[in-house]
Amino acid sequence: MHAVVTGTSRGIGKELVKRLQEAGYEVTGTSRDHSSGVKLDVSDPGQQARFAAQIKNRPADLLVCNAGVYIDKAMGLEDYSAEVWAKTLAANVTGVFLTVQAMLPNLRLAEEPKIAILSSQMASQSRAPGGSYAYRASKAAALNIGRNLATDLQPEGIAVGIYHPGWVRTDMGGYEGDITVEESVAGLINEFAVLNLDTTGCFHTWDGRIQPY
């Protein structure tokens, strides 16, 4: 089995590569700075095309859209700029869609292909504690993309799941988080394993609970 995972230079992505390999997958990881796996800025269409050409005709059993940024953590309302919004949406929204688009031929070659999109409970519109406007909006958009992809790709036999990885103790999440990277990734991999066409479009937490929209 072959898995493609974006954003593997650190944190959840790095641990996903390790755990998926232990589970028997061959893993192609990507990172924006080439520090881990293949160089790929997910928001760059040219790099997406080159990446797709590199693994042409190789089935992708699992695609994990993990790459993302959190630029506006603890940012004050008056501090936002158009650049913050543009960079956040490019990585967290456009990047997800371009990655799925580029990998569709490879997914279609697999017997039971799956797409996992890492969103966040911060995408939930039922929770509005304020702040992190760009990040919250981007994760809500990624959730929306996943839900609609699930509808469009179900007839092709491609299952799509959207996941909240938990508040994880990482550079991005901060070290006050609830769970370790290892706990999050172990749960996520279990979720990926049980994802199927009957559950496509799900929005679940790392430990299998239904996440409110």
Side-chain angles (χ1 to χ4, degrees):
M1 294 186 294
H2 177 218
V4 176
V5 184
T6 64
T8 60
S9 63
R10 60 181 182 172
I12 291 172
K14 185 176 181 179
E15 185 68 14
L16 276 168
V17 172
K18 176 185 173 184
R19 292 296 184 96
L20 285 169
Q21 288 173 336
E22 290 174 353
Y25 281 89
E26 293 182 48
V27 183
T28 301
T30 76
S31 63
R32 185 172 51 188
D33 59 4
H34 210 314
S35 62
S36 172
V38 181
K39 179 178 174 61
L40 176 64
D41 178 342
V42 294
S43 66
D44 185 326
Q47 290 189 31
Q48 288 279 11
R50 288 190 290 275
F51 176 57
Q54 282 182 280
I55 58 171
K56 186 178 181 181
N57 298 326
R58 187 176 182 189
D61 301 277
L62 173 65
L63 170 63
V64 184
C65 296
N66 168 69
V69 298
Y70 189 178
I71 299 170
D72 59 328
K73 185 177 182 181
M75 185 174 286
L77 184 60
E78 296 84 357
D79 298 325
Y80 279 81
S81 65
E83 184 180 17
V84 168
W85 280 97
K87 286 184 175 181
T88 301
L89 296 176
N92 297 359
V93 183
T94 305
V96 169
F97 186 84
L98 291 180
T99 301
V100 173
Q101 189 179 50
M103 290 295 101
L104 266 179
N106 304 82
L107 288 159
R108 287 169 173 151
L109 292 172
E111 290 186 12
E112 296 182 2
K114 302 178 183 185
I115 299 170
I117 296 173
L118 295 199
S119 179
S120 170
Q121 69 178 10
M122 293 173 74
S124 174
Q125 298 195 44
S126 64
R127 300 176 72 257
S132 299
Y133 292 94
Y135 186 77
R136 291 182 193 281
S138 71
K139 289 302 184 179
L143 167 60
N144 187 276
I145 287 171
R147 294 278 292 170
N148 283 284
L149 283 171
T151 299
D152 284 338
L153 296 178
Q154 188 173 28
E156 296 192 53
I158 301 175
V160 182
I162 308 100
Y163 302 99
H164 166 54
W167 185 12
V168 186
R169 294 192 285 273
T170 63
D171 290 343
M172 180 182 287
Y175 290 92
E176 306 81 24
D178 295 329
I179 58 173
T180 65
V181 173
E182 292 78 11
E183 288 172 316
S184 172
V185 169
L188 288 170
I189 289 178
N190 286 337
E191 282 295 298
F192 303 162
V194 299
L195 174 65
N196 57 53
L197 291 175
D198 291 330
T199 60
T200 191
C202 65
F203 184 26
H204 284 179
T205 62
W206 64 279
D207 54 354
R209 292 172 289 122
I210 296 173
Q211 176 66 49
Y213 296 115

